[in-house]
Amino acid sequence: MRIAWAAFVLLLAAFPALAQNVKITPIGSHPGELCANDRAIVFEDPTGVRFLYDAAHNVTGGNDPRLGAIHLVLLSHMHGDHVGDLKLKAPGEGTCANSARVPAPNSTTAEVVAEKNAVLVTTRAMAGFVHNKVGAVRGSGNKPMDFCSSLAVTVPVPAACSSRIDLGGVFKAQAEGAQQGVEFTIVYSEHVNDVAPSLLSKARQDLLKADGAQLGYGPPVGFVVKFTNGLVAYLSSDTAVFGDMKMVISDFHKANLAVINLGPNPGLFQSGAYAINDLLKPASVIFTHVNEVATEGGKLRANTQTAALMKQVKPPAHLAISERTMEFDGKGKCVSGC
Ligand SMILES: [Zn+2]
Ligand SMILES: [Zn+2]
């Protein structure tokens, strides 16, 4: 036994990268591709802490077998394609441009939080919405979901709860027996935060419609996640280029991996090269939320907006290919699966 253990320790010393990588697995609509509606990504820290970043339209429900253990669910904002007003019918169904989806009246975010008894990491304003929806998933007679009792938890938590932090707030999640935890900081995203109308009550929908109004839930957000191996990932969510990318995310948090949402609405196809090369300056980039069919047979399609941006970006840029696991070391370098 002792010899086996010594051999194991020697092996770890010889291949530290194997033991200390963060695993990043996009969960999209079509296995092996980066498709128009893809947003959801599962992250796994070397200590075993696992979280889902935006359930989106990409899961088939809280019990989607591709999720595995999920200790935390991050929610960036209330647009239907993030909080999840629709769920995926099945991986591979529909086209890569328009995946087959069905309504999710309680949101895919609430479905996953309820199914996994997970910690919801988001602002307090958005947490209130999800608390109610988790209640609706579980039905009456169950204890209402509430904020976690502290800003540092051991996962898995005994009952679903939310982070009770706002912009700039830090929440920590540690695996049982681990020496260190994973740190989540909420950062700003230069976007809007209107809720998908279909997730509201009929009465509220009618009122809003009468005034041509949208209902906002406070600021939309991105995240900075500090993993135990030293990787610092910036999860941009939907955002325009903005000064915090340099002053807060790069200079202060020293993010070495940027996971960037593209798509036409926030303009990053035009400003993305400046945002990445001059403001964020990460060691690597991952692109998702492309709102176009970015790949075919797993390969980047020429004549796409994604391909045009990839050419302008200085650090190595990787595509969030569904169900392909990438591994990153503490310095932000992809060491496997890219
Ligand atoms: Zn959005
Ligand atoms: Zn979006």
Side-chain angles (χ1 to χ4, degrees), residues 76-82 191-192 237-238 265-266 289:
S76 66
H77 66 297
M78 301 295 282
H79 280 167
D81 61 319
H82 294 262
H191 194 54
V192 292
S237 180
D238 297 1
N265 177 315
H289 195 300

mmCIF file of all heavy atoms in Angstrom, residues 76-82 191-192 237-238 265-266 289, ligand 1:
data_model
loop_
_atom_site.group_PDB
_atom_site.id
_atom_site.type_symbol
_atom_site.label_atom_id
_atom_site.label_comp_id
_atom_site.label_asym_id
_atom_site.label_seq_id
_atom_site.Cartn_x
_atom_site.Cartn_y
_atom_site.Cartn_z
ATOM 1 N N SER A 76 -26.303 34.888 -15.207
ATOM 2 C CA SER A 76 -25.777 36.203 -15.587
ATOM 3 C C SER A 76 -26.869 37.247 -15.770
ATOM 4 O O SER A 76 -26.704 38.390 -15.377
ATOM 5 C CB SER A 76 -24.966 36.089 -16.884
ATOM 6 O OG SER A 76 -25.805 35.745 -17.976
ATOM 7 N N HIS A 77 -27.971 36.857 -16.382
ATOM 8 C CA HIS A 77 -29.069 37.810 -16.565
ATOM 9 C C HIS A 77 -30.344 37.112 -17.006
ATOM 10 O O HIS A 77 -30.356 35.899 -17.209
ATOM 11 C CB HIS A 77 -28.663 38.951 -17.515
ATOM 12 C CG HIS A 77 -28.411 38.572 -18.939
ATOM 13 N ND1 HIS A 77 -27.402 37.717 -19.333
ATOM 14 C CD2 HIS A 77 -29.028 38.949 -20.093
ATOM 15 C CE1 HIS A 77 -27.400 37.599 -20.652
ATOM 16 N NE2 HIS A 77 -28.399 38.332 -21.141
ATOM 17 N N MET A 78 -31.416 37.899 -17.140
ATOM 18 C CA MET A 78 -32.762 37.350 -17.241
ATOM 19 C C MET A 78 -33.264 37.190 -18.670
ATOM 20 O O MET A 78 -34.430 36.824 -18.867
ATOM 21 C CB MET A 78 -33.735 38.255 -16.467
ATOM 22 C CG MET A 78 -33.397 38.405 -14.998
ATOM 23 S SD MET A 78 -33.555 36.851 -14.125
ATOM 24 C CE MET A 78 -35.332 36.811 -13.952
ATOM 25 N N HIS A 79 -32.448 37.466 -19.661
ATOM 26 C CA HIS A 79 -32.881 37.195 -21.033
ATOM 27 C C HIS A 79 -33.197 35.701 -21.150
ATOM 28 O O HIS A 79 -32.501 34.866 -20.561
ATOM 29 C CB HIS A 79 -31.791 37.593 -22.030
ATOM 30 C CG HIS A 79 -31.764 39.061 -22.315
ATOM 31 N ND1 HIS A 79 -30.731 39.686 -22.969
ATOM 32 C CD2 HIS A 79 -32.673 40.026 -22.031
ATOM 33 C CE1 HIS A 79 -31.007 40.980 -23.081
ATOM 34 N NE2 HIS A 79 -32.175 41.209 -22.513
ATOM 35 N N GLY A 80 -34.231 35.408 -21.957
ATOM 36 C CA GLY A 80 -34.686 34.022 -22.066
ATOM 37 C C GLY A 80 -33.600 33.047 -22.460
ATOM 38 O O GLY A 80 -33.579 31.901 -21.998
ATOM 39 N N ASP A 81 -32.643 33.511 -23.290
ATOM 40 C CA ASP A 81 -31.595 32.599 -23.748
ATOM 41 C C ASP A 81 -30.536 32.356 -22.673
ATOM 42 O O ASP A 81 -29.595 31.587 -22.890
ATOM 43 C CB ASP A 81 -30.934 33.106 -25.052
ATOM 44 C CG ASP A 81 -30.256 34.464 -24.907
ATOM 45 O OD1 ASP A 81 -30.813 35.348 -24.239
ATOM 46 O OD2 ASP A 81 -29.154 34.626 -25.481
ATOM 47 N N HIS A 82 -30.686 32.961 -21.470
ATOM 48 C CA HIS A 82 -29.747 32.706 -20.368
ATOM 49 C C HIS A 82 -30.440 32.079 -19.160
ATOM 50 O O HIS A 82 -30.053 31.013 -18.712
ATOM 51 C CB HIS A 82 -29.013 33.999 -19.995
ATOM 52 C CG HIS A 82 -28.132 34.452 -21.107
ATOM 53 N ND1 HIS A 82 -26.791 34.194 -21.154
ATOM 54 C CD2 HIS A 82 -28.436 35.089 -22.271
ATOM 55 C CE1 HIS A 82 -26.295 34.658 -22.293
ATOM 56 N NE2 HIS A 82 -27.275 35.205 -22.985
ATOM 57 N N HIS A 191 -24.864 45.622 -20.490
ATOM 58 C CA HIS A 191 -25.948 44.966 -21.215
ATOM 59 C C HIS A 191 -27.259 45.410 -20.563
ATOM 60 O O HIS A 191 -27.254 46.363 -19.775
ATOM 61 C CB HIS A 191 -25.727 43.447 -21.104
ATOM 62 C CG HIS A 191 -26.532 42.602 -22.038
ATOM 63 N ND1 HIS A 191 -26.548 42.775 -23.392
ATOM 64 C CD2 HIS A 191 -27.340 41.522 -21.800
ATOM 65 C CE1 HIS A 191 -27.336 41.849 -23.940
ATOM 66 N NE2 HIS A 191 -27.834 41.089 -22.992
ATOM 67 N N VAL A 192 -28.374 44.770 -20.889
ATOM 68 C CA VAL A 192 -29.645 45.056 -20.222
ATOM 69 C C VAL A 192 -30.120 43.787 -19.527
ATOM 70 O O VAL A 192 -29.591 42.710 -19.776
ATOM 71 C CB VAL A 192 -30.710 45.565 -21.216
ATOM 72 C CG1 VAL A 192 -30.330 46.937 -21.745
ATOM 73 C CG2 VAL A 192 -30.918 44.579 -22.347
ATOM 74 N N SER A 237 -20.503 36.995 -19.952
ATOM 75 C CA SER A 237 -21.922 37.076 -20.287
ATOM 76 C C SER A 237 -22.074 37.982 -21.507
ATOM 77 O O SER A 237 -21.091 38.265 -22.205
ATOM 78 C CB SER A 237 -22.767 37.569 -19.126
ATOM 79 O OG SER A 237 -24.140 37.617 -19.540
ATOM 80 N N ASP A 238 -23.284 38.459 -21.776
ATOM 81 C CA ASP A 238 -23.495 39.350 -22.914
ATOM 82 C C ASP A 238 -23.021 40.735 -22.494
ATOM 83 O O ASP A 238 -23.520 41.287 -21.514
ATOM 84 C CB ASP A 238 -24.984 39.434 -23.275
ATOM 85 C CG ASP A 238 -25.553 38.098 -23.728
ATOM 86 O OD1 ASP A 238 -24.805 37.108 -23.740
ATOM 87 O OD2 ASP A 238 -26.749 38.062 -24.060
ATOM 88 N N ASN A 265 -25.843 41.523 -30.961
ATOM 89 C CA ASN A 265 -26.458 42.563 -30.144
ATOM 90 C C ASN A 265 -25.471 43.437 -29.360
ATOM 91 O O ASN A 265 -25.541 44.663 -29.429
ATOM 92 C CB ASN A 265 -27.521 41.880 -29.260
ATOM 93 C CG ASN A 265 -28.198 42.803 -28.300
ATOM 94 O OD1 ASN A 265 -27.541 43.599 -27.648
ATOM 95 N ND2 ASN A 265 -29.503 42.725 -28.209
ATOM 96 N N PRO A 266 -24.505 42.876 -28.619
ATOM 97 C CA PRO A 266 -23.573 43.748 -27.878
ATOM 98 C C PRO A 266 -22.364 44.227 -28.683
ATOM 99 O O PRO A 266 -21.495 44.897 -28.124
ATOM 100 C CB PRO A 266 -23.130 42.881 -26.702
ATOM 101 C CG PRO A 266 -23.839 41.582 -26.837
ATOM 102 C CD PRO A 266 -24.336 41.480 -28.226
ATOM 103 N N HIS A 289 -21.792 31.640 -27.422
ATOM 104 C CA HIS A 289 -22.904 32.566 -27.698
ATOM 105 C C HIS A 289 -22.694 33.241 -29.053
ATOM 106 O O HIS A 289 -22.834 34.455 -29.192
ATOM 107 C CB HIS A 289 -22.959 33.621 -26.579
ATOM 108 C CG HIS A 289 -24.225 34.423 -26.505
ATOM 109 N ND1 HIS A 289 -24.679 35.216 -27.526
ATOM 110 C CD2 HIS A 289 -25.119 34.573 -25.508
ATOM 111 C CE1 HIS A 289 -25.807 35.819 -27.155
ATOM 112 N NE2 HIS A 289 -26.105 35.443 -25.935
HETATM 113 ZN ZN ZN B 1 -28.703 39.098 -23.193
#
